[in-house]
């Protein structure tokens, strides 16, 4: 059986998926928030959320004309140190000087996937500093 790395809310490295999640809600997710999200997913279904993933194949086709071209616009990378998505793609950040020459920093915060909810003050500080450093027109 494949084992998934510990990430975000998933802290245990074995057992069932349900057992991997903590029994209490994280500090950034209130009961009211969870109730709202649950209601909206019950009302609308998961189609909208899943369509982003369904469209990923289209991205490769639609963006192929840009293959090999660096992203020169000013950018900033903020990720969670405990997010499996971030840790899986960390090697890509090493290539940023060539692939994203406009990148102004890579910041790994001590949190999971939802960095803006889990570390709002740090994210806001990083964004404000980054925005302040952009050229004004």
């Amino acid at each position: 059986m494949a084992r998934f790395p510990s990430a975000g809310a998933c802290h245990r490295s074995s057992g069932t998926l349900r057992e991997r999640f903590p029994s209490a809600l994280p500090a950034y997710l209130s009961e009211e928030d969870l109730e709202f999200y649950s209601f909206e997913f019950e009302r609308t279904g998961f189609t909208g959320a899943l369509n982003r993933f369904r469209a990923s194949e289209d991205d490769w086709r639609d963006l192929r004309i840009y293959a090999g071209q660096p992203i020169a616009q000013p950018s900033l990378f903020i990720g969670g140190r405990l997010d499996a998505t971030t840790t899986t793609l960390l090697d890509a950040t090493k290539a940023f000087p060539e692939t994203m020459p406009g990148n102004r920093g890579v910041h790994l915060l001590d949190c999971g996937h939802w960095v803006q909810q889990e570390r709002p003050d740090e994210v806001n500080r990083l964004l404000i500093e980054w925005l302040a450093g952009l050229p004004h027109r």
Side-chain angles (χ1 to χ4, degrees):
M1 168 189 271
R3 296 286 181 211
F4 295 95
S6 176
C10 303
H11 295 291
R12 296 178 184 91
S13 62
S14 64
T16 66
L17 184 59
R18 179 181 290 273
E19 291 168 343
R20 291 182 187 202
F21 287 89
S23 58
L25 291 176
Y28 61 86
L29 182 66
S30 70
E31 288 286 345
E32 294 79 22
D33 292 337
L34 184 59
E35 188 67 30
F36 174 80
Y37 296 140
S38 298
F39 174 78
E40 288 301 309
F41 277 122
E42 288 174 9
R43 185 178 68 80
T44 64
F46 282 94
T47 301
L50 293 175
N51 279 347
R52 170 64 282 203
F53 298 102
R54 291 181 180 122
S56 63
E57 288 299 316
D58 294 336
D59 292 344
W60 288 106
R61 184 191 68 242
D62 296 343
L63 298 173
R64 107 178 121 229
I65 62 172
Y66 302 106
Q69 295 182 34
I71 298 170
Q73 290 78 8
S75 56
L76 181 70
F77 181 88
I78 303 172
R81 200 179 308 277
L82 301 175
D83 178 12
T85 304
T86 299
T87 57
T88 300
L89 300 173
L90 264 185
D91 282 345
T93 65
K94 296 173 187 164
F96 282 177
E98 291 82 36
T99 61
M100 294 177 64
N103 184 271
R104 304 287 198 267
V106 173
H107 301 275
L108 298 177
L109 307 183
D110 290 323
C111 61
H113 185 71
W114 307 108
V115 291
Q116 69 279 14
Q117 280 91 2
E118 296 179 56
R119 297 292 185 271
D121 293 338
E122 290 175 75
V123 170
N124 285 336
R125 179 185 55 78
L126 290 168
L127 288 173
I128 289 168
E129 289 173 2
W130 177 73
L131 289 169
L134 293 177
H136 298 284
R137 294 184 183 201

